[in-house]
Amino acid sequence: MEPFATNDNSTAVYFARQRSQAKRSNPINGISRRDCLGMLGGSLAGFALTSMLGLDKTRSNPPVVDTHLHCFAGPDSEEFPYHPNGPYRPVSAATPEHLLSCMDGAGVKYAIVVHPEPYQDDHRYLDHCLEVGGGRLKGTCLFFADQPESLAAMPSFLKDREGKIIASRVHAYAPDRLPPFGKPELRKWWRSVADAGVAVQLHFEPRYAPGFEPYIREFADTTVIIDHLGRPFQGSPEEHARVIRWADFPNTVMKLSSIPTEERYPHQDIRPIIRQLTSAWGAKRMIYGGGFNGDATPDSYHGYRQDLLGYLSHLSAQEQAAILGGNAAQLFHLS
C-alpha cells in the first residue's frame, strides 16, 4: 500500500476554509476562545500556519517531551484508591516524584501524564501529579460519553484546568469497552472537547477506526492524537491501512509510543510500519512517548528514547528532534 502524504500549503488552506465556513454559519462566534486556541496551536491549523510543527521555532534546541506515560499511587493508597470499575489494578506505584527524577536523569524537559483507566473518571491523582510537576507536567483526562454524569462533568473539569489538560482520551479496544459510536452522546462528548480547545486522544484497535472517522471529519479544527502507532499488530494489515489513510486528515497527529519488540507477541518487525507512518504523516505531525514506569531508571528511560531513534534513522537530526519534543512543545504550549 502506498502511504498517504499531506502538503503544508494545503493544510493551511484547508483550515482557513474551515474557519471561514464556521464563521459564516455562526457569525456571533467571531473569534471564540476555541478559535483562538486553535490558531495559537490547539489544533494543527496553528502549526501549519505559524511554526510548521516545531521544525522552525524549536529548530535550534527543542526540548525533549515525553507525551505518554502513566502514574499510579499504588494499590494500597487510601488517598488515591483505584476505581471499582477499573479494568486493571497496577501492583506497584509510579509516582510523579519518581517520574521527575527519571526525567532529570534522562534529559526529558516536559511530560504528559495520560490519566489511566484504573482511576476511571476520578482525576484526583492526576491533579496531584500536575501539582507536584510544577509546570513540567501536563495531563490528559478520561470521561465517558455513555455515562451521563461523566459526560456532564467534563466541560467544567476542562474549564477549571485550562492550560493543564491537553487532551481527553477515548478507548475502543474491546466489545464491552467501546464509546457510543453513531449516537448523539459521542458527538456531544467530541463537541465538549472541541469547545474546550484541547485535543481528542484515541486509543483503539484498528477494527474500530471506522467509527471515529465521521467525528474526525466533522470536527476538522480539533486535533486528534492517535496513540501507540494505531496499534498495527492488533488488527489486520487492511484494518491498519485505514488508520494510515487518516494522514489525509490534516488535524491528525501520530504518536510513536508503546513500540512493540520482536521478542514480544506477535513477534513482528515494527520497522516497516514506522517507515509507513513517517512517510504518511511526516516528521512535522508526529510525537513520541514512553519508557517510564514504576521500575524505570534514568538510564532505562533514556535508553527507550535511544531505541526509538534507531527506528528513525532514515530521518534527519532536525526531524528526529521535532518528533522527540519540538512538535509537542508547540502543540501543548510548553515553553
Side-chain angles (χ1 to χ4, degrees), residues 5-17 48-49 247-248 250 285:
T6 58
N7 177 277
D8 291 314
N9 289 330
S10 66
T11 301
V13 171
Y14 177 84
F15 275 101
R17 185 182 301 118
L49 293 171
D248 279 350
R285 294 169 58 201

Side-chain angles (χ1 to χ4, degrees), residues 65-69 108 228 255-259 288-293 300-302 304-305 308:
V65 182
D66 177 1
T67 67
H68 200 105
L69 60 95
V108 177
H228 304 332
K255 184 188 293 178
L256 300 177
S257 58
S258 192
I259 309 296
Y288 111 95
F292 174 77
N293 55 45
S300 70
Y301 196 20
H302 181 265
Y304 176 93
R305 195 165 79 246
L308 175 60

